[in-house]
Amino acid sequence: MTQPYDAAAPPGPPDDPSEQPASQPPLRRSKRQKLVGGVCGGLGRHYDLDPVIFRVGLGVLAVTGGLGLIFYGFAWLFVPLDDEDENEARRLLTGRVDGATLSAVLFALIGCGLFLSMLRNGTVLGFAVMLSIALTGAAYWSQRRRLADPGTGPVDPVAAQVASVAPPETQAPPVPGAPSWWRDPIVKDGTTGPVGTGYLWGPQNAVVEEAPERARSAAPAPRPPRRPDPASRGPRGIGGRVFLLAVLAGGLGTGLSWDARPLGTSLQIGLSCALAVFGLGIAVSAFRGRTGVGTILLTVITALLLTGASALPKQISTDWMRTNWQPASASDVRPRYALGSGVGTLDLSDVRIPADGSVATRAEVGAGRLKVVVPKDATVELRMNVGLGDVRLPGERRQDFDLRTEHFRDETLKPPKPSGAARSDKPAGTLRLDLEVGVGQVEVARAAK
């Protein structure tokens, strides 16, 4: 007995699974695609993107400001693993601490430290913000694309790979006299009558009728080797072209800004162009072509170089020079002497300072060596700042090389005690020097006379 049709009843689910609306999987850390904590694998499955995009993006954000480490650490803490209800943060609060929980906390702490150290660098923070916006936009676009297509659902990459490499089902041997499904009938021009369909394999007593011309042939003609279908080879690699374009973009960006910008800024422009090409190539490889581990490694190296270039002092220029400043009197001493890159020598041996007077000046070198020769009979008050390098004062040997970072030093050099006829000479005044070198060496020496 059939049931009456109720028009008010809601329609049942469609029989075809492809017609069912696509459901977004919950955000969980992945067990299968797991390199560190499974965060990027879970993000790729949740937003239907290649996890490599998230790995590269978070890796670049980790070295350019620490935002990638902060996000990864907190996601590791608060996003549970597949088939688990508790996250690492809950285990931490209940005292059940293991290696995964400590690693997540360590990631977050290191990221916070890097982020605080980069607060003054607006260029790096701006790049990190732009990359974060790009990753967020890509995830949102991929999610909207999947929801707009009902027939598209989440695909497990591991299951798809297993299905693609699975061997074909084993077929039973053909029945004697039955048509063979292994090859098509061989028909030769001018033949009449039944044409045999020889088996590739089968029973030994199978009776096959052949055409007279084929029966008289001594041996079958050799079959030409079968060429693989280009479509079955998979997407072509684009890593080499991406690398060449990145080198070209980096060289072009650095070359155009080499003469007009400081060294650090010029390198930042070139490396930023190269990093943008690498990121674009990886994004394109998610849809067309493919890139390998080498491209990802070069992307991380480029990001590290960009971080180092952003830390260079802005005083470093792109031209190496040798400059000598030698004022003849106290009135000729300028308030400031500056050199971008090279060797700068400030010779103050001819400057005579009155006993009750003082002279002050400042000397800067971005990268290189700064040598200052002070008067023999003057009291010298030094204030030195070296970003990375060494400081050498009178009386120190050349072998005493002490390389330091952020080297701040204040010294007061008293004039040597006069002897003999020079005891009646009045002592000179005070010379105040403010010396700064970004990368290199500061050397202070006394004049011989």
Side-chain angles (χ1 to χ4, degrees):
M1 182 176 182
T2 59
Q3 297 291 336
Y5 175 75
D6 188 2
D15 296 333
D16 189 1
S18 62
E19 298 179 1
Q20 297 180 0
S23 61
Q24 185 178 15
L27 181 57
R28 296 291 181 110
R29 291 186 289 118
S30 176
K31 286 184 178 180
R32 293 181 175 178
Q33 296 183 348
K34 178 181 178 182
L35 292 181
V36 181
V39 174
C40 295
L43 290 175
R45 180 180 56 189
H46 183 73
Y47 293 104
D48 196 20
L49 276 178
D50 193 341
V52 176
I53 297 178
F54 290 102
R55 291 186 182 119
V56 174
L58 292 180
V60 174
L61 288 176
V63 298
T64 55
L67 290 178
L69 290 176
I70 295 175
F71 177 83
Y72 199 97
F74 281 102
W76 197 349
L77 283 173
F78 292 101
V79 177
L81 195 62
D82 282 339
D83 302 327
E84 293 184 7
D85 295 329
E86 284 187 335
N87 53 25
E88 301 297 336
R90 186 173 180 180
R91 293 191 180 95
L92 180 63
L93 294 177
T94 55
R96 293 172 293 169
V97 181
D98 55 3
T101 306
L102 293 178
S103 301
V105 174
L106 183 62
F107 271 49
L109 290 178
I110 295 176
C112 291
L114 290 176
F115 180 75
L116 293 177
S117 64
M118 292 291 180
L119 284 178
R120 297 182 180 178
N121 198 328
T123 304
V124 175
L125 289 181
F127 173 78
V129 171
M130 292 178 60
L131 183 57
S132 302
I133 295 175
L135 280 177
T136 305
Y140 177 78
W141 172 78
S142 178
Q143 183 182 22
R144 297 293 299 176
R145 181 190 62 177
R146 180 174 58 186
L147 295 177
D149 187 3
T152 304
V155 178
D156 191 349
V158 177
Q161 182 179 5
V162 171
S164 63
V165 300
E169 287 187 3
T170 305
Q171 300 289 340
V175 180
S180 173
W181 45 268
W182 282 96
R183 63 173 64 168
D184 295 332
I186 301 176
V187 180
K188 300 184 68 175
D189 296 337
T191 60
T192 58
V195 179
T197 57
Y199 294 112
L200 184 62
W201 60 279
Q204 299 296 331
N205 56 352
V207 179
V208 182
E209 293 182 334
E210 295 185 351
E213 289 82 1
R214 185 166 181 85
R216 290 193 298 265
S217 61
R223 304 180 67 181
R226 186 176 182 182
R227 296 183 179 181
D229 187 6
S232 63
R233 298 176 184 175
R236 292 185 177 181
I238 61 174
R241 284 172 284 182
V242 171
F243 173 72
L244 293 178
L245 289 176
V247 171
L248 181 61
L252 188 61
T254 303
L256 293 178
S257 60
W258 185 260
D259 296 330
R261 302 281 185 175
L263 178 62
T265 305
S266 179
L267 292 178
Q268 288 180 43
I269 294 175
L271 292 172
S272 298
C273 294
L275 192 61
V277 172
F278 278 126
L280 184 60
I282 293 174
V284 171
S285 67
F287 306 98
R288 298 180 63 87
R290 57 181 176 84
T291 54
V293 181
T295 303
I296 299 175
L297 181 61
L298 290 174
T299 304
V300 175
I301 293 175
T302 305
L304 292 175
L305 293 177
L306 179 59
T307 304
S310 63
L312 291 177
K314 300 301 181 183
Q315 299 89 350
I316 301 178
S317 61
T318 56
D319 52 344
W320 189 269
M321 300 176 60
R322 289 182 175 270
T323 305
N324 295 323
W325 304 291
Q326 190 173 6
S329 61
S331 59
D332 293 338
V333 178
R334 291 184 293 180
R336 181 174 178 268
Y337 298 90
L339 177 64
S341 301
V343 179
T345 302
L346 178 59
D347 190 354
L348 301 174
S349 58
D350 296 335
V351 176
R352 296 293 178 262
I353 305 173
D356 55 349
S358 64
V359 175
T361 186
R362 176 182 176 86
E364 300 176 3
V365 173
R369 183 185 178 193
L370 174 60
K371 182 177 180 180
V372 181
V373 181
V374 298
K376 180 180 180 181
D377 54 353
T379 300
V380 183
E381 295 180 357
L382 295 172
R383 183 177 180 84
M384 296 168 288
N385 179 13
V386 180
L388 175 63
D390 176 49
V391 173
R392 184 180 300 166
L393 298 179
E396 297 181 356
R397 300 178 301 175
R398 291 185 177 272
Q399 293 80 6
D400 299 336
F401 189 81
D402 186 13
L403 181 64
R404 297 185 184 180
T405 58
E406 300 297 334
H407 193 171
F408 297 95
R409 188 172 177 181
D410 294 337
E411 294 285 345
T412 300
L413 304 180
K414 297 293 184 180
K417 294 181 180 180
S419 61
R423 289 181 181 274
S424 59
D425 296 341
K426 294 183 179 180
T430 303
L431 177 63
R432 297 184 177 89
L433 296 177
D434 190 358
L435 309 178
E436 182 177 353
V437 172
V439 179
Q441 184 186 53
V442 171
E443 181 181 357
V444 180
R446 283 279 185 183
K449 58 180 180 178

